[in-house]
Amino acid sequence: MSGQATFYGEAPDADAIEAIGRATIARLPVQFAEHLSDIVFAVEEFADDQTLAELGLEHPLDLSGLYHGRPLGEKSSMDSGAMPDRIVLYRRAILEEWIETGVRLDDLVAHVTIHEIGHHFGLSDDDMHALEESAGDAAP
């Protein structure tokens, strides 16, 4: 990825994190991007207690993103009336990881975004890594 925004003073807000995530989605190969138009993309401060409990996590900083939905390969025409799939990035966990690792913020947000998109497609970790590389190759 190129051109990380430099932040001084206050930590990047949810809008800044969302902008990086949406820019990542915009750089995806068309065969992936065309299947993402119905996904709700959001940034929240932390995962709620119910989500953490469902995942067996104790601390909200342990979860930087989550895909809510059924992977494309598991969907059927009988799924009508289901809630839309969602990708949620958790701002505070991302910022904590950014501080701890020193990874560029745009790279970290892109990584989390692509990882969650990978769950939408039912991809393996290796496939997600390849998708992340292809999105990075398309960066301006």
Side-chain angles (χ1 to χ4, degrees):
M1 304 248 125
S2 62
Q4 176 182 4
T6 303
F7 297 97
Y8 297 100
E10 294 183 25
D13 63 12
D15 290 340
I17 302 293
E18 183 176 345
I20 296 168
R22 289 191 182 281
T24 299
I25 293 168
R27 289 191 304 271
L28 291 174
V30 68
Q31 66 267 30
F32 289 99
E34 65 188 13
H35 295 285
L36 298 173
S37 62
D38 292 337
I39 291 184
V40 175
F41 185 77
V43 177
E44 298 175 2
E45 287 299 296
F46 294 107
D48 61 39
D49 291 338
Q50 179 181 348
T51 299
L52 294 172
E54 289 172 2
L55 296 172
L57 299 173
E58 294 183 18
H59 199 282
L61 294 181
D62 292 337
L63 185 62
S64 55
L66 187 63
Y67 169 68
H68 296 271
R70 290 182 50 197
L72 284 178
E74 296 177 15
K75 291 183 186 271
S76 87
S77 60
M78 304 304 287
D79 289 340
S80 67
M83 295 295 291
D85 292 354
R86 295 179 60 221
I87 291 175
V88 180
L89 303 184
Y90 297 109
R91 178 182 165 271
R92 295 288 302 274
I94 288 171
L95 295 178
E96 185 71 21
E97 187 173 342
W98 178 44
I99 292 165
E100 287 179 2
T101 65
V103 171
R104 290 170 28 145
L105 183 61
D106 57 343
D107 288 343
L108 180 57
V109 172
H111 172 77
V112 174
T113 301
I114 289 172
H115 186 87
E116 301 314 325
I117 288 169
H119 289 301
H120 173 66
F121 288 102
L123 300 178
S124 69
D125 285 342
D126 287 342
D127 291 337
M128 286 184 221
H129 182 70
L131 179 58
E132 189 171 1
E133 284 184 4
S134 71
D137 292 343

